[in-house]
Every structure is written in C-alpha cells, then in structure tokens.
Short mmCIF file of all heavy atoms in Angstrom, two decimals:
data_model
loop_
_atom_site.label_atom_id
_atom_site.label_comp_id
_atom_site.label_asym_id
_atom_site.label_seq_id
_atom_site.Cartn_x
_atom_site.Cartn_y
_atom_site.Cartn_z
N LEU L 1 0.83 -1.20 0.00
CA LEU L 1 0.00 0.00 0.00
C LEU L 1 0.87 1.25 0.00
O LEU L 1 0.62 2.19 -0.78
CB LEU L 1 -0.92 0.00 1.22
CG LEU L 1 -1.80 1.24 1.40
CD1 LEU L 1 -2.77 1.37 0.23
CD2 LEU L 1 -2.55 1.17 2.72
N ARG L 2 1.89 1.28 0.85
CA ARG L 2 2.76 2.46 0.92
C ARG L 2 3.46 2.70 -0.43
O ARG L 2 3.57 3.83 -0.88
CB ARG L 2 3.78 2.29 2.04
CG ARG L 2 3.23 2.54 3.43
CD ARG L 2 4.32 2.59 4.47
NE ARG L 2 4.88 1.27 4.72
CZ ARG L 2 4.42 0.43 5.65
NH1 ARG L 2 3.38 0.79 6.39
NH2 ARG L 2 4.98 -0.74 5.84
N VAL L 3 3.97 1.61 -1.02
CA VAL L 3 4.68 1.75 -2.29
C VAL L 3 3.75 2.26 -3.38
O VAL L 3 4.10 3.17 -4.16
CB VAL L 3 5.32 0.41 -2.70
CG1 VAL L 3 5.89 0.50 -4.11
CG2 VAL L 3 6.42 0.02 -1.72
N HIS L 4 2.55 1.71 -3.47
CA HIS L 4 1.61 2.14 -4.51
C HIS L 4 1.21 3.60 -4.31
O HIS L 4 1.10 4.36 -5.29
CB HIS L 4 0.35 1.25 -4.47
CG HIS L 4 0.51 -0.04 -5.21
ND1 HIS L 4 0.19 -0.18 -6.55
CD2 HIS L 4 0.99 -1.25 -4.81
CE1 HIS L 4 0.45 -1.42 -6.93
NE2 HIS L 4 0.93 -2.09 -5.89
N VAL L 5 1.00 4.01 -3.07
CA VAL L 5 0.62 5.39 -2.80
C VAL L 5 1.76 6.33 -3.19
O VAL L 5 1.53 7.39 -3.79
CB VAL L 5 0.23 5.58 -1.32
CG1 VAL L 5 0.09 7.05 -0.98
CG2 VAL L 5 -1.07 4.85 -1.02
N ARG L 6 2.98 5.95 -2.84
CA ARG L 6 4.12 6.81 -3.21
C ARG L 6 4.26 6.91 -4.72
O ARG L 6 4.52 7.98 -5.26
CB ARG L 6 5.41 6.25 -2.60
CG ARG L 6 5.50 6.36 -1.09
CD ARG L 6 6.90 6.04 -0.61
NE ARG L 6 6.97 5.91 0.83
CZ ARG L 6 7.04 4.75 1.48
NH1 ARG L 6 7.08 3.62 0.78
NH2 ARG L 6 7.11 4.71 2.79
N GLU L 7 4.13 5.78 -5.39
CA GLU L 7 4.32 5.78 -6.84
C GLU L 7 3.19 6.50 -7.58
O GLU L 7 3.43 7.21 -8.55
CB GLU L 7 4.41 4.32 -7.35
CG GLU L 7 5.68 3.60 -6.94
CD GLU L 7 6.92 4.18 -7.58
OE1 GLU L 7 6.83 4.69 -8.71
OE2 GLU L 7 7.99 4.14 -6.94
N GLU L 8 1.97 6.31 -7.13
CA GLU L 8 0.83 6.83 -7.86
C GLU L 8 0.41 8.24 -7.42
O GLU L 8 -0.07 9.03 -8.24
CB GLU L 8 -0.37 5.89 -7.73
CG GLU L 8 -0.12 4.51 -8.34
CD GLU L 8 -1.30 3.57 -8.18
OE1 GLU L 8 -2.44 4.07 -8.16
OE2 GLU L 8 -1.09 2.35 -8.07
N LEU L 9 0.60 8.54 -6.13
CA LEU L 9 0.19 9.86 -5.62
C LEU L 9 1.36 10.78 -5.35
O LEU L 9 1.17 11.99 -5.21
CB LEU L 9 -0.64 9.69 -4.34
CG LEU L 9 -1.91 8.84 -4.45
CD1 LEU L 9 -2.60 8.77 -3.09
CD2 LEU L 9 -2.84 9.40 -5.50
N GLY L 10 2.55 10.21 -5.22
CA GLY L 10 3.72 11.03 -4.93
C GLY L 10 3.77 11.53 -3.51
O GLY L 10 4.41 12.55 -3.22
N VAL L 11 3.10 10.84 -2.57
CA VAL L 11 3.12 11.24 -1.16
C VAL L 11 3.44 10.04 -0.30
O VAL L 11 3.26 8.89 -0.71
CB VAL L 11 1.76 11.83 -0.71
CG1 VAL L 11 1.44 13.10 -1.49
CG2 VAL L 11 0.64 10.82 -0.86
N ASP L 12 3.93 10.31 0.90
CA ASP L 12 4.19 9.26 1.88
C ASP L 12 3.03 9.25 2.87
O ASP L 12 2.88 10.21 3.64
CB ASP L 12 5.50 9.52 2.60
CG ASP L 12 5.90 8.37 3.52
OD1 ASP L 12 5.03 7.54 3.86
OD2 ASP L 12 7.08 8.30 3.90
N PRO L 13 2.21 8.21 2.88
CA PRO L 13 1.03 8.21 3.78
C PRO L 13 1.40 8.22 5.25
O PRO L 13 0.58 8.56 6.10
CB PRO L 13 0.31 6.92 3.38
CG PRO L 13 1.36 6.04 2.80
CD PRO L 13 2.30 6.97 2.10
N ASP L 14 2.65 7.84 5.58
CA ASP L 14 3.08 7.82 6.97
C ASP L 14 3.79 9.09 7.39
O ASP L 14 4.29 9.19 8.51
CB ASP L 14 4.00 6.62 7.21
CG ASP L 14 3.31 5.29 6.97
OD1 ASP L 14 2.09 5.22 7.25
OD2 ASP L 14 3.96 4.35 6.50
N ASP L 15 3.89 10.07 6.51
CA ASP L 15 4.65 11.29 6.82
C ASP L 15 3.88 12.51 6.37
O ASP L 15 4.36 13.31 5.57
CB ASP L 15 6.02 11.23 6.14
CG ASP L 15 6.93 12.37 6.60
OD1 ASP L 15 6.73 12.87 7.72
OD2 ASP L 15 7.84 12.75 5.82
N GLN L 16 2.66 12.65 6.89
CA GLN L 16 1.83 13.80 6.56
C GLN L 16 2.00 14.89 7.61
O GLN L 16 2.17 14.61 8.79
CB GLN L 16 0.36 13.39 6.47
CG GLN L 16 0.06 12.41 5.34
CD GLN L 16 0.45 12.97 4.00
OE1 GLN L 16 -0.08 13.98 3.55
NE2 GLN L 16 1.41 12.33 3.34
N PRO L 17 2.00 16.16 7.20
CA PRO L 17 2.19 17.26 8.16
C PRO L 17 1.04 17.38 9.14
O PRO L 17 -0.10 17.01 8.84
CB PRO L 17 2.28 18.49 7.26
CG PRO L 17 1.56 18.10 6.01
CD PRO L 17 1.82 16.63 5.82
N SER L 18 1.34 17.90 10.31
CA SER L 18 0.32 18.11 11.33
C SER L 18 -0.39 19.44 11.11
O SER L 18 0.26 20.48 11.03
CB SER L 18 0.97 18.12 12.73
OG SER L 18 0.09 18.66 13.69
N PRO L 19 -1.71 19.44 11.03
CA PRO L 19 -2.43 20.71 10.86
C PRO L 19 -2.25 21.65 12.06
O PRO L 19 -2.20 22.87 11.90
CB PRO L 19 -3.89 20.30 10.68
CG PRO L 19 -3.98 18.91 11.22
CD PRO L 19 -2.64 18.29 11.01
N TRP L 20 -2.12 21.06 13.26
CA TRP L 20 -1.91 21.89 14.44
C TRP L 20 -0.55 22.55 14.44
O TRP L 20 -0.40 23.72 14.79
CB TRP L 20 -2.10 21.06 15.72
CG TRP L 20 -3.54 20.81 16.06
CD1 TRP L 20 -4.22 19.63 15.98
CD2 TRP L 20 -4.50 21.77 16.49
NE1 TRP L 20 -5.53 19.79 16.34
CE2 TRP L 20 -5.73 21.09 16.68
CE3 TRP L 20 -4.43 23.14 16.76
CZ2 TRP L 20 -6.89 21.75 17.10
CZ3 TRP L 20 -5.59 23.80 17.18
CH2 TRP L 20 -6.80 23.10 17.35
N ALA L 21 0.47 21.78 14.04
CA ALA L 21 1.82 22.36 13.95
C ALA L 21 1.85 23.48 12.93
O ALA L 21 2.46 24.54 13.16
CB ALA L 21 2.83 21.27 13.58
N ALA L 22 1.20 23.27 11.80
CA ALA L 22 1.16 24.30 10.76
C ALA L 22 0.42 25.55 11.25
O ALA L 22 0.87 26.68 11.02
CB ALA L 22 0.48 23.75 9.50
N ALA L 23 -0.72 25.34 11.92
CA ALA L 23 -1.53 26.48 12.39
C ALA L 23 -0.78 27.29 13.45
O ALA L 23 -0.72 28.53 13.38
CB ALA L 23 -2.85 25.97 12.95
N ILE L 24 -0.23 26.61 14.44
CA ILE L 24 0.46 27.31 15.52
C ILE L 24 1.71 28.02 15.00
O ILE L 24 2.00 29.17 15.36
CB ILE L 24 0.83 26.32 16.65
CG1 ILE L 24 -0.45 25.82 17.31
CG2 ILE L 24 1.73 26.98 17.68
CD1 ILE L 24 -0.24 24.67 18.28
N SER L 25 2.45 27.34 14.14
CA SER L 25 3.65 27.94 13.57
C SER L 25 3.31 29.19 12.78
O SER L 25 3.96 30.22 12.91
CB SER L 25 4.36 26.91 12.68
OG SER L 25 5.49 27.47 12.07
N SER L 26 2.29 29.09 11.94
CA SER L 26 1.88 30.24 11.12
C SER L 26 1.41 31.39 11.99
O SER L 26 1.77 32.56 11.76
CB SER L 26 0.76 29.81 10.17
OG SER L 26 0.37 30.87 9.36
N PHE L 27 0.59 31.09 13.01
CA PHE L 27 0.08 32.12 13.92
C PHE L 27 1.21 32.86 14.62
O PHE L 27 1.27 34.10 14.65
CB PHE L 27 -0.86 31.47 14.94
CG PHE L 27 -1.41 32.43 15.96
CD1 PHE L 27 -2.63 33.06 15.73
CD2 PHE L 27 -0.73 32.70 17.14
CE1 PHE L 27 -3.15 33.94 16.66
CE2 PHE L 27 -1.25 33.59 18.07
CZ PHE L 27 -2.45 34.22 17.84
N LEU L 28 2.15 32.10 15.19
CA LEU L 28 3.22 32.71 15.97
C LEU L 28 4.17 33.52 15.09
O LEU L 28 4.53 34.66 15.43
CB LEU L 28 4.01 31.63 16.71
CG LEU L 28 3.27 30.91 17.84
CD1 LEU L 28 4.15 29.81 18.45
CD2 LEU L 28 2.84 31.90 18.92
N PHE L 29 4.57 32.96 13.95
CA PHE L 29 5.54 33.65 13.12
C PHE L 29 4.93 34.84 12.39
O PHE L 29 5.63 35.82 12.12
CB PHE L 29 6.21 32.66 12.15
CG PHE L 29 7.29 31.86 12.79
CD1 PHE L 29 7.01 30.68 13.46
CD2 PHE L 29 8.60 32.30 12.77
CE1 PHE L 29 8.00 29.94 14.07
CE2 PHE L 29 9.61 31.57 13.37
CZ PHE L 29 9.31 30.39 14.03
N PHE L 30 3.64 34.78 12.06
CA PHE L 30 2.99 35.95 11.51
C PHE L 30 3.02 37.08 12.55
O PHE L 30 3.32 38.24 12.22
CB PHE L 30 1.54 35.65 11.14
CG PHE L 30 0.82 36.81 10.50
CD1 PHE L 30 0.71 36.90 9.12
CD2 PHE L 30 0.26 37.83 11.27
CE1 PHE L 30 0.06 37.97 8.52
CE2 PHE L 30 -0.38 38.90 10.69
CZ PHE L 30 -0.49 38.98 9.32
N SER L 31 2.72 36.74 13.80
CA SER L 31 2.72 37.75 14.86
C SER L 31 4.10 38.37 15.03
O SER L 31 4.23 39.60 15.18
CB SER L 31 2.27 37.11 16.18
OG SER L 31 0.97 36.58 16.07
N VAL L 32 5.14 37.53 15.00
CA VAL L 32 6.51 38.05 15.14
C VAL L 32 6.84 38.98 13.98
O VAL L 32 7.39 40.08 14.17
CB VAL L 32 7.51 36.88 15.19
CG1 VAL L 32 8.95 37.41 15.10
CG2 VAL L 32 7.34 36.10 16.48
N GLY L 33 6.51 38.55 12.75
CA GLY L 33 6.79 39.40 11.61
C GLY L 33 6.01 40.71 11.65
O GLY L 33 6.55 41.78 11.35
N ALA L 34 4.76 40.65 12.06
CA ALA L 34 3.91 41.84 12.05
C ALA L 34 4.31 42.86 13.10
O ALA L 34 4.07 44.07 12.92
CB ALA L 34 2.45 41.44 12.26
N VAL L 35 4.92 42.42 14.19
CA VAL L 35 5.28 43.35 15.25
C VAL L 35 6.56 44.13 14.92
O VAL L 35 6.81 45.19 15.51
CB VAL L 35 5.44 42.63 16.60
CG1 VAL L 35 6.81 41.98 16.73
CG2 VAL L 35 5.17 43.56 17.77
N VAL L 36 7.36 43.63 13.97
CA VAL L 36 8.63 44.29 13.65
C VAL L 36 8.44 45.73 13.20
O VAL L 36 9.03 46.66 13.77
CB VAL L 36 9.43 43.47 12.62
CG1 VAL L 36 10.62 44.26 12.09
CG2 VAL L 36 9.90 42.16 13.23
N PRO L 37 7.64 46.01 12.16
CA PRO L 37 7.48 47.41 11.75
C PRO L 37 6.73 48.26 12.78
O PRO L 37 6.83 49.50 12.75
CB PRO L 37 6.70 47.31 10.44
CG PRO L 37 5.97 46.02 10.52
CD PRO L 37 6.88 45.10 11.27
#
C-alpha cells in the first residue's frame, strides 16, 4: 500500500504534516513578523 501510494500519488502516507503544527507555527511567526514594523 505504501509503495503504490508513493508511486501513484507522490506522497508518503506515513509522513503527513500536522495541521496543528502548521496552524500554531503560522500564527506565531505571523505575529513576530507583524510586530517588527
């Protein structure tokens, strides 16, 4: 299953990004960037 998914979809089903990590990271770093000016 993993091999077929990698070959046909180009993704690793066992290595998907965390939506919470993405959301928190984006929130925090946007705030840091916005406070500079």
